[in-house]
């Protein structure tokens, strides 16, 4: 059953970018009824102009746009500052979905899709981008509470949505931040990709390549040598483990 947006989500500005007016109208209608302020764009340049004029809290972005595709739009938007992005794609090819995640999309939905499911995804990403100060520690689909987490030169403040490595702030997407916070809250424990999807994404099912791509992107930002990760370890046949003690001792 569709959950209504919380007080923190209601009124959030969502930019819908799709060159198919029917899809854009349906998505806009559902988001509007859910309490969001919705803006629409039919192509990449228009989307960038609208985002510059009124910075959205989240972007629903079609991959296949005329002229400038969604990947380039996502790159340029992320270059202007952090903004959550949910990518829409009509393609079933896994490479296209992974490309969207690689350029910084926080989530993706494959066409044809349920508008209600998309509204739920929007709410989920927004809640993680702007969590309330009293978020409890742990729990399925939640970021650890507001206590600051520290390990191996990393400092993560879930309440402020701020992550620092050796004094330098990290530019993380919503999901990358959540994944790092979860790892720091559970050092030394191995998690399967299914467990990470459930605990970090809050989903009981989904494409597990989403987890793989986000781990790779996170390593690129927190590891001294992403090709030889020492913090986020691969546990063969299981999944991943955050290992700050070993990294500090090597």
């Amino acid at each position: 059953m569709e959950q209504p947006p919380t007080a923190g989500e209601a009124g959030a500005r969502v930019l819908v970018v799709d060159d198919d007016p029917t899809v854009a109208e349906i998505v806009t209608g559902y988001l509007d009824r859910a309490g969001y302020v919705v803006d629409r764009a039919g192509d990449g340049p228009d989307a960038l102009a609208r985002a510059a004029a009124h910075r959205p809290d989240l972007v629903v972005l079609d991959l296949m746009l005329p002229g400038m595709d969604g990947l380039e739009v996502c790159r340029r938007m992320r270059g202007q500052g952090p903004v959550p992005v949910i990518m829409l794609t009509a393609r079933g090819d896994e490479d296209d979905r992974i490309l969207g995640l690689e350029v910084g999309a926080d989530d993706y939905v494959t066409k044809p899709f349920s508008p209600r499911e998309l509204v739920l995804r929007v709410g989920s990403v927004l809640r993680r981008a702007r969590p309330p100060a009293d978020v409890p520690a742990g729990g399925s689909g939640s970021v650890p509470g507001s206590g600051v987490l520290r390990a191996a030169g990393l400092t993560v403040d879930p309440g402020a949505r701020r992550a620092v490595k050796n004094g330098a702030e990290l530019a993380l997407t919503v999901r990358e931040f959540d994944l790092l916070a979860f790892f720091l809250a559970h050092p030394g424990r191995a998690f399967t990709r299914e467990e990470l999807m459930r605990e970090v994404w809050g989903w009981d099912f989904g494409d597990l390549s989403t987890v793989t791509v986000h781990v790779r992107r996170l390593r690129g930002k927190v590891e001294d040598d992403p090709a030889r990760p020492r913090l986020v370890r691969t546990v063969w046949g299981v999944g991943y483990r955050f290992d700050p003690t070993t990294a500090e001792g090597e």
Side-chain angles (χ1 to χ4, degrees):
M1 182 176 179
E2 184 175 325
Q3 298 293 322
T6 66
E9 298 159 41
R13 180 178 292 275
V14 179
L15 174 60
V16 176
V17 187
D18 199 307
D19 64 319
D20 185 328
T22 301
V23 172
E25 183 175 349
I26 291 173
V27 170
T28 297
Y30 271 81
L31 290 171
D32 181 70
R33 286 192 293 274
Y36 299 105
V37 176
V38 188
D39 198 4
R40 283 172 54 177
D43 56 41
D46 187 21
L48 293 174
R50 290 177 182 273
H54 299 285
R55 190 70 176 169
D57 296 299
L58 181 142
V59 181
V60 176
L61 177 61
D62 187 23
L63 175 64
M64 299 299 293
L65 292 172
M68 182 189 302
D69 66 20
L71 295 176
E72 181 61 24
V73 174
C74 187
R75 288 191 190 97
R76 296 193 185 190
M77 282 191 178
R78 297 310 297 255
Q80 297 171 1
V83 58
V85 174
I86 296 178
M87 193 78 77
L88 301 180
T89 173
R91 298 178 177 179
D93 188 75
E94 183 178 3
D95 290 342
D96 293 313
R97 299 197 298 271
I98 290 176
L99 275 175
L101 296 172
E102 290 283 13
V103 299
D106 295 282
D107 199 356
Y108 66 86
V109 177
T110 303
K111 295 179 181 179
F113 58 86
S114 162
R116 290 184 177 181
E117 178 189 355
L118 179 58
V119 171
L120 290 175
R121 296 285 186 96
V122 168
S124 173
V125 173
L126 281 171
R127 280 192 296 274
R128 292 180 173 281
R130 303 188 305 180
D134 59 350
V135 173
S140 178
S142 66
V143 179
S146 58
V148 176
L149 304 165
R150 295 184 177 88
L154 294 165
T155 301
V156 173
D157 185 343
R161 301 294 295 186
R162 187 168 182 261
V164 174
K165 177 185 177 183
N166 297 328
E169 188 156 0
L170 298 172
L172 303 177
T173 67
V174 172
R175 299 297 188 187
E176 290 166 2
F177 183 95
D178 292 346
L179 187 59
L180 179 60
F182 185 80
F183 277 139
L184 261 70
H186 302 87
R189 178 180 168 185
F191 293 92
T192 66
R193 292 189 299 170
E194 290 88 349
E195 288 174 322
L196 290 172
M197 177 159 283
R198 183 173 62 251
E199 297 296 333
V200 178
W201 276 257
W203 305 341
D204 290 324
F205 61 90
D207 186 350
L208 295 179
S209 65
T210 299
V211 178
T212 305
V213 171
H214 278 81
V215 168
R216 182 164 64 244
R217 285 182 54 84
L218 181 62
R219 282 171 168 167
K221 297 178 181 181
V222 303
E223 299 281 0
D224 293 331
D225 182 0
R228 300 176 60 188
R230 298 188 300 167
L231 289 172
V232 183
R233 302 270 190 167
T234 297
V235 182
W236 297 109
V238 180
Y240 303 101
R241 180 183 69 241
F242 182 69
D243 210 349
T245 304
T246 303
E248 290 171 346
E250 291 182 356

